[in-house]
Amino acid sequence: MINIDSRSSKPIYEQVVDGIKENIIKGILQPGDKLPSVRELSAILTTNPNTISKAYKELERQKAIETIRGKGTYVASNYEAKIDKDKLEVLKKQMKNIVIEAHYMGMEKDKVINLLEEVYKELRE
């Protein structure tokens, strides 16, 4: 379901957020699907429950999931994508770094675009 890299510089809660979002994009998780409880997911991933709680709070803030008291946490059924200007700037910087790395690997623009399309297709399959 979600892969955690303990050697990554990315915080674990962000890896959980990214993993759940990836599963939603891939269709593994559908709108209305019930997610494991904080304790269940922390046991599965062998992480601190506070880490999972922080990830769930972030996903709720982004309106990707919703928690119904006494019933559990679910993939949001009414999610609407919206552009967050701050996140867009972060994304732009990350893409710039990718283009720089690709250039120094000898990749031309069309190959970088093809690679991006390949990754996008992989997420949509």
Side-chain angles (χ1 to χ4, degrees):
M1 182 176 179
I2 299 170
N3 293 320
I4 301 298
D5 181 1
S6 57
R7 290 175 268 131
S8 173
S9 62
K10 185 178 244 186
I12 292 174
Y13 88 94
E14 287 182 12
Q15 293 181 51
V16 173
V17 168
D18 292 347
I20 290 174
K21 287 165 106 178
E22 181 177 338
N23 285 330
I24 292 170
I25 290 170
K26 286 181 173 179
I28 295 168
L29 291 171
Q30 298 290 322
D33 282 356
K34 189 175 189 319
L35 294 174
S37 72
V38 168
R39 290 189 192 281
E40 289 170 340
L41 190 54
S42 69
I44 292 167
L45 300 176
T46 61
T47 61
N48 188 310
N50 292 333
T51 302
I52 303 302
S53 181
K54 187 173 182 178
Y56 276 13
K57 284 178 186 166
E58 177 59 23
L59 287 163
E60 279 188 88
R61 189 188 69 73
Q62 295 178 17
K63 300 190 183 330
I65 65 171
E66 52 196 0
T67 299
I68 302 169
R69 289 207 181 269
K71 293 198 173 194
T73 304
Y74 299 85
V75 176
S77 54
N78 59 349
Y79 176 74
E80 290 182 28
K82 64 179 187 326
I83 302 288
D84 178 331
K85 290 182 182 181
D86 293 334
K87 282 199 165 215
L88 187 59
E89 281 303 311
V90 170
L91 183 62
K92 188 175 179 181
K93 287 178 184 175
Q94 290 172 337
M95 291 177 86
K96 182 178 180 180
N97 289 336
I98 290 169
V99 169
I100 290 169
E101 287 299 317
H103 173 77
Y104 280 97
M105 289 174 57
M107 293 178 72
E108 296 295 325
K109 178 182 174 182
D110 59 332
K111 293 206 186 255
V112 174
I113 291 171
N114 288 341
L115 183 61
L116 178 62
E117 288 173 346
E118 182 182 314
V119 170
Y120 195 86
K121 183 180 176 186
E122 184 181 298
L123 288 172
R124 293 294 182 171
E125 288 179 347

